[in-house]
Amino acid sequence: MIQIQELHKRFSKNKVLIGVDLEIQNGGIYAILGPNGSGKTTLIKAILGMVLPNKGKIHLNQKDIKNQWKYRENIEYLPQIANFPGNLKVSELIKMIIDLRSKPSSSDELIQRFGLEPFLDKKLNTLSGGTKQKVNLVLTFMFDSPLIILDEPTTGLDPIALLTLKELIAQEKKKGKTFLITSHIMQFVEEVADEIVYLLEGQIYFKGTIEELQNLTHKTNFEHAIAALTAQNV
Amino acid sequence: MFKILKYSFYDLIRSRWSYVYFLFYLLLGFVLLFLNNDLSKAVITLMNIIIILVPLIGTIFGVMYFYNSREFTELLLAQPIKRTSIFLGQYFGVACSLSLSLILGLGIPFALYGLFESNAIFDFSLLLVTGTFLTLIFTAMAFNIAISNENKIMGFGYSVLLWLFMAVIYDGLFLMSLILFEEYPLDNFSLLATMFNPIDLSRTLILLKLDISALLGYTGAVFKKFFGTQLGLFISISMLCLWTLAPIFRLAWKAKRKDF
Amino acid sequence: MIKLGNLILVLIVLQMHLAYSKTISICHDCDVKSIQKGISMAVDFDTLLIKKGTYKEFNIVIDKPLTLLGQNYPIVDGEDQGEIIRIISDHVTIDGLFLINVGTSYTSDHAAIRVVKSSFFLIQNVVLEKLFFGIYLEKSDHGKVYHNKIIGDAIDEYNSGNGIQLWYSKNIEIDRNIVQGVRDGIYLEFSDNITINNNISSNNLRYGLHFMFSNDDIYTNNTFKNNGAGVAVMFSKRIKMYQNQFLENWGTAAYGMLLKEINDAEISGNTFKENTIGINIEGSNRIRYTNNHFVNNGWAIKVLGACYSNTFEHNNFLYNSFDISYNSKLNDNVFNENYWSDYTGYDLDDNGIGDVPYRPVKLFSYIVNRTPETIILLRSLFMDIIDFSEKVSPVFTPDNLMDARPLMKKI
């Protein structure tokens, strides 16, 4: 369970998060949405401890995460831009992350699933964007952690890989895991998300299921509902 | 930290630039020794190159590595690893691979040439030690610059400026102040000013052992005491250690307080 | 024929000496127990054979032509009372003695052996230790100081003396001596036509060899190592200096050689290695420097004050921090066909001579002359840059000071 209280963050003069209060229960898929610059990534990074809040507290399973690092053992994170040390081979990168976390992994199965076997001996700087993203996904899903954070997971994926990703998410969800996902592909969000957290100008503007959102905005189409949500404010 | 160090190091020793850097020193060593045949002159030429080139490569390479591995750093930050371990690990990875290029690149030709039977071995190892110190210092400063500047161009600008300042401008100002205040006793001042620039410090440290200490002692009792005894060697080495530790501590401090 | 005749003459004279002179043995068990007594008993051209033992004597005066021959190095102990031996007669030979404990004095220059107004003396195979002055030649001539060993333990200049000192002496030969640990190894004052060869003068407080107001002297094949300064030549004329070694005279204001008010000297074939200053020249004119080697010195040559018409030809300048230092903008000296290890020019016509001139005076050496502390910037990049710009367009250094024909290869 994630509890966020009165979270403030600004980068020099730019206030990105202004008093965010959020509670996320265990289990389920939460889509964090919002226009560009609304603070989605900052919020995620605050949970990961990569961004240090100016004010406010974040508790993960009732424990304050400030100045901690061990708790990240129970989080998987898929960063937005998949860029790795170029001189490492794919297999070496995977081995390295396994080595760093020293946890059992299901990397072989995932490699097979994304069809990465031919690339294992390639250096990372020779891979295409899509392949890199696949490697990125393998790294994220290969451990069995209760919280998974995906920042734009669909970037650069071909339709088959996208399908595999969706299967994976569904499969892991069944195990009772919690997902935090940001995406610009509304179709994808609509398909996978249980709940929407809508951020606008550094604050939680809406939190609820897709149905609730549709009811609120009187739009049946999800994409239009989101657009309406943004427009209402403007 | 050592895991990160290991991976950064492995990553770097397979990069093209490490090879270029290594081969440069290898070639330099062979050319100097086999065209020149004079070990002590080779050591002096090497000193001139090392105290200028090592800081330059250290800063440029450090800044470049830091910016290039930004995404990778983010990946690591999401892992259950302490922040300071990530940055210090990366730093030592870069510094070690650069130092290794230097030590092997110069060491191999000198060893082949028969350094171990020659009495220049002490001068030569001192040269490598200061070269390593300079790598550690300037890479650490480069990491400091990079971690404090999001903007790559600014970061590169500052690091080149840092090098230029330490390698050239500082000495210019130093010389001007010496000439300006020439009627005052200057020996303590000039020793102190030397301490505040790692490049000058390394230069005097090597000159100290290249039998020029007596030449430096020509100016007066303070220089003579400093350069003529073990005191100079001792103070210079401790100052180099300080110069290494200070930016590393700042890096660790800054790493704890930085958003990514 | 003439030479053979001379030889025969010498042999005849020797025969006469042997025939007429007798040998007096001196030892603790002999009839004659002291050297002084032996001298008073002897007649001209006698030989005193001094056997092994210790003789506590001082102020021994040799007033007739005698030979004092030591057997197995007998010790003459002056017990710090003053002078040990004084020679006031011609044709005296001292051979194979071990003299120790010369008295130190602040008013008179006590020596182990003093030769006064005498000619044709020979001092050889003598060992001196714990001395004040060693061998002191005063107004004497036509003598030889050969193969002696002088080992002092001087600490301060003010209460120590010189190893071999010549004062108003002429036509003396000083050969194969070893002098160390005294004030000046060899000191010449008002002494002309002296030949100094094959000596080793080292670890002396002041100078290895010191000329004052002495003319027409020559020194060859000597080694001067680790002295306060190697050789000082002052106020003297027509000195010839050949094939000497000036080594490791390191330290504040130390130099291989100091030339002060010297004219018409010749300096050739010498090696100056690892000295703070190779040659320090002040007010010296018409000196020819040829075929010398300047290796690893702080300054190879430092020129102070007015020096005119000096020539530097066919010398090697190897790895000196500074080749030449000048403190004025005037130059009336010629540099020609020297080898400079710092020379970076080229030789397109392949005649062994560089096509661009070499400028041996760096701007940095000018700056160091002005503000000595700036030496701490030696070999810094900044200095290299300003040296380079000065090389391109001389502003501070004499613009005609250059070697127009620098050699491409070492001599």
Side-chain angles (χ1 to χ4, degrees), chain C residues 179-406:
Chain C
V179 189
Q180 60 194 53
V182 291
R183 185 171 63 193
D184 286 348
I186 302 168
Y187 177 64
L188 280 67
E189 199 173 340
F190 305 108
S191 295
D192 304 338
N193 298 310
I194 310 291
T195 310
I196 303 169
N197 295 337
N198 309 314
N199 301 287
I200 298 171
S201 180
S202 59
N203 301 310
N204 297 302
L205 285 186
R206 201 166 64 181
Y207 303 121
L209 169 62
H210 189 181
F211 293 86
M212 284 292 237
F213 312 104
S214 300
N215 305 324
D216 302 298
D217 300 324
I218 175 166
Y219 65 100
T220 311
N221 274 326
N222 301 287
T223 300
F224 305 99
K225 189 170 167 182
N226 196 23
N227 299 296
V231 174
V233 188
M234 299 174 170
F235 311 101
S236 301
K237 290 181 190 118
R238 297 176 299 278
I239 309 281
K240 291 187 170 64
M241 321 172 198
Y242 299 140
Q243 275 96 33
N244 299 290
Q245 308 272 331
F246 301 81
L247 312 172
E248 293 168 38
N249 298 294
W250 271 125
T252 311
Y255 23 73
M257 179 149 72
L258 169 70
L259 301 180
K260 194 168 183 170
E261 307 296 330
I262 299 301
N263 293 328
D264 305 296
E266 218 171 292
I267 300 172
S268 185
N270 301 288
T271 300
F272 298 84
K273 197 171 171 190
E274 291 172 14
N275 304 290
T276 296
I277 299 169
I279 308 184
N280 194 73
I281 310 170
E282 285 182 56
S284 299
N285 310 313
R286 297 182 302 279
I287 299 177
R288 282 180 53 80
Y289 301 82
T290 53
N291 294 85
N292 299 294
H293 306 278
F294 298 89
V295 187
N296 287 333
N297 301 290
W299 285 265
I301 294 174
K302 195 163 186 175
V303 181
L304 296 164
C307 295
Y308 299 108
S309 306
N310 299 295
T311 328
F312 298 83
E313 255 179 345
H314 300 112
N315 300 289
N316 273 327
F317 291 86
L318 306 173
Y319 324 125
N320 304 295
S321 302
F322 303 104
D323 288 328
I324 315 273
S325 155
Y326 251 66
N327 71 339
S328 73
K329 275 204 71 176
L330 264 174
N331 173 45
D332 183 40
N333 302 308
V334 179
F335 292 86
N336 194 30
E337 294 188 10
N338 299 288
Y339 175 79
W340 313 85
S341 63
D342 277 357
Y343 182 60
T344 51
Y346 43 82
D347 178 22
L348 289 182
D349 52 6
D350 221 20
N351 61 351
I353 287 162
D355 298 343
V356 279
Y358 177 74
R359 297 184 165 280
V361 179
K362 292 181 188 165
L363 174 59
F364 186 30
S365 78
Y366 172 84
I367 293 172
V368 170
N369 266 341
R370 207 182 127 161
T371 316
E373 285 85 357
T374 54
I375 188 101
I376 203 159
L377 290 166
L378 181 72
R379 291 188 203 287
S380 73
L381 181 61
F382 182 77
M383 279 305 171
D384 290 348
I385 292 171
I386 63 167
D387 272 345
F388 179 75
S389 62
E390 174 75 12
K391 208 159 115 181
V392 175
S393 61
V395 179
F396 298 98
T397 53
D399 53 357
N400 63 341
L401 200 160
M402 59 185 176
D403 189 338
R405 294 166 58 80

Side-chain angles (χ1 to χ4, degrees), chain B residues 97-98 138 164 179 189:
Chain B
S97 83
L98 288 180
F138 278 87
L164 202 65
I179 292 179
F189 165 75

Side-chain angles (χ1 to χ4, degrees), chain A residues 9 50 52 96 99 101, chain B residues 7 72 79 83 259-260:
Chain A
K9 179 67 199 175
M50 291 164 72
L52 306 170
M96 167 180 142
D99 182 31
R101 299 193 69 137
Chain B
Y7 287 110
F72 180 57
Q79 308 296 332
R83 275 188 173 201
D259 294 318
F260 289 91

Side-chain angles (χ1 to χ4, degrees), chain B residues 41 182 203 211 214-215 218-219, chain C residues 250 299 302 371-372 376 378:
Chain B
K41 201 200 175 188
E182 64 185 353
R203 189 171 45 78
D211 259 8
L215 178 64
Y218 143 91
T219 46
Chain C
W250 271 125
W299 285 265
K302 195 163 186 175
T371 316
I376 203 159
L378 181 72

